[in-house]
Amino acid sequence: LLGRWHWSLDLLAHFRLQATVCLMASVVIFVLLRHWRWAVLTGTVVLCLIGSLAKYYWPSTNDGGIGKDSITILSFNVLTQNGERESVATYLREQQADVAFLMEVNEAWVRHLESLNDLYPHRLERSREDNFGILLLSRWPLRDATVIETFSQSELPSVQATIDSPGGSWTFLGTHPLPPTSQANALDRDHQLESLAKHLRRGAIDPLVVAGDLNATPFSLPFRNLIGSTSLIDSSIGFGLWPTWMRKAPVVAIPIDHVLVSQSVNIHERWIGPSLGSDHQPVLVVFSLHR
């Protein structure tokens, strides 16, 4: 909660799931040791943490009725140096998502994924060799497709396009800010998410889907500011908050890959896929547009 005062304090916010589990164990230990005052104090904190997490695990009230006009989107940070490119290509073909947003793609990735041109005849790309290349693949035509480099002070690319799907037209925006590994990186990430929010408010875009590795968890201050200032909805609410980065190492595993939607988008399903050689795991969301 002190993230607004210093970037390093905001890093602690990412580990709320781990903190909750550790404090629950602490309550048990304090009870066994008959340290009642500490047990009550720690238990109170645990209840507050559980309260902040409950909305993610309380079953969604959506009817789950996936119709012929439903849309599946996949967002995946594939990891530039990942050698399992064929596994990723196979997975994309198996999932048959209507739209796929891939991050950390370089020229080698772009060339390899050309094998999916029959599935995804429409694409928007900006490959880079520095872990910030991006690739948008779509079954359907892309209108007003553009690469935006003004969100980030480091001129990292984001993509935006209007997609004409059978269920209606909607706008996709994909972005991938710097990880907060230093004060400069954290400030650049925060600036990118803030600029993104200003862009969305200025354009009043709806229906809208925002996806990407945001290098921020739902508990981080810049993420909360993004949600609060745009009224975007976190697709994980009602479907569980599951780590998407370093999931094989639970101590540091955190949910930093997101799909956010505007009010006129109805989420039906959400799940996390396998890592396929990356340090991230894909996020898949099925949604439809309110008529």
Side-chain angles (χ1 to χ4, degrees):
L1 299 178
L2 301 177
R4 69 181 65 253
W5 301 109
H6 198 272
W7 71 275
S8 60
L9 295 176
D10 189 59
L11 295 178
L12 300 176
H14 298 321
F15 302 97
R16 186 172 296 191
L17 293 171
Q18 289 90 334
T20 302
V21 173
C22 289
L23 288 174
M24 290 175 66
S26 298
V27 171
V28 175
I29 293 172
F30 288 138
V31 168
L32 293 176
L33 295 176
R34 298 179 182 273
H35 294 332
W36 306 117
R37 183 177 300 176
W38 282 107
V40 171
L41 176 61
T42 309
T44 301
V45 175
V46 168
L47 290 176
C48 292
L49 290 174
I50 290 176
S52 71
L53 296 170
K55 64 179 180 180
Y56 295 100
Y57 299 97
W58 194 262
S60 172
T61 57
N62 290 341
D63 59 11
I66 301 176
K68 61 181 178 63
D69 291 335
S70 64
I71 302 161
T72 301
I73 187 169
L74 180 151
S75 178
F76 188 20
N77 183 330
V78 297
L79 184 65
T80 303
Q81 62 268 31
N82 183 359
E84 298 186 25
R85 296 191 186 102
E86 187 56 36
S87 296
V88 173
T90 300
Y91 180 75
L92 290 173
R93 189 171 290 280
E94 289 174 347
Q95 293 302 308
Q96 298 281 304
D98 300 303
V99 175
F101 177 57
L102 307 179
M103 293 149 282
E104 294 202 20
V105 294
N106 58 10
E107 277 300 314
W109 271 105
V110 170
R111 289 195 302 271
H112 191 86
L113 294 176
E114 287 176 353
S115 62
L116 300 173
N117 283 351
D118 61 318
L119 180 61
Y120 298 114
H122 309 281
R123 62 168 53 198
L124 177 61
E125 66 183 64
R126 180 62 59 86
S127 65
R128 292 169 57 129
E129 302 298 324
D130 61 355
N131 295 338
F132 289 94
I134 49 180
L135 173 63
L136 175 62
L137 302 173
S138 174
R139 291 179 180 271
W140 305 305
L142 305 175
R143 285 192 293 110
D144 303 321
T146 183
V147 176
I148 304 173
E149 295 180 332
T150 55
F151 294 157
S152 166
Q153 294 174 325
S154 301
E155 298 184 341
L156 301 180
S158 299
V159 293
Q160 180 175 317
T162 299
I163 300 176
D164 296 319
S165 63
S169 297
W170 52 285
T171 299
F172 173 84
L173 197 154
T175 193
H176 180 206
L178 288 169
T181 54
S182 66
Q183 183 175 17
N185 280 11
L187 290 174
D188 196 296
R189 176 205 60 182
D190 297 353
H191 181 272
Q192 184 162 338
L193 295 182
E194 182 179 354
S195 297
L196 169 63
K198 290 180 180 178
H199 172 76
L200 297 179
R201 292 196 301 271
R202 184 167 56 247
I205 305 169
D206 190 36
L208 170 69
V209 175
V210 176
D213 168 10
L214 302 186
N215 277 306
T217 64
F219 317 113
S220 178
L221 179 63
F223 184 95
R224 289 186 283 120
N225 288 342
L226 172 63
I227 293 291
S229 63
T230 61
S231 298
L232 287 170
I233 300 170
D234 186 348
S235 65
S236 62
I237 293 176
F239 295 94
L241 191 62
W242 310 108
T244 60
W245 179 72
M246 297 295 288
R247 198 167 179 178
K248 294 181 180 179
V251 174
V252 296
I254 51 178
I256 59 176
D257 298 272
H258 303 279
V259 175
L260 313 175
V261 302
S262 63
Q263 301 288 332
S264 62
V265 177
N266 187 35
I267 303 295
H268 296 294
E269 289 187 9
R270 185 185 192 274
W271 70 96
I272 307 299
S275 60
L276 302 169
S278 175
D279 52 346
H280 291 254
Q281 293 176 266
V283 178
L284 295 99
V285 172
V286 180
F287 67 91
S288 61
L289 308 178
H290 289 306
R291 294 185 181 276

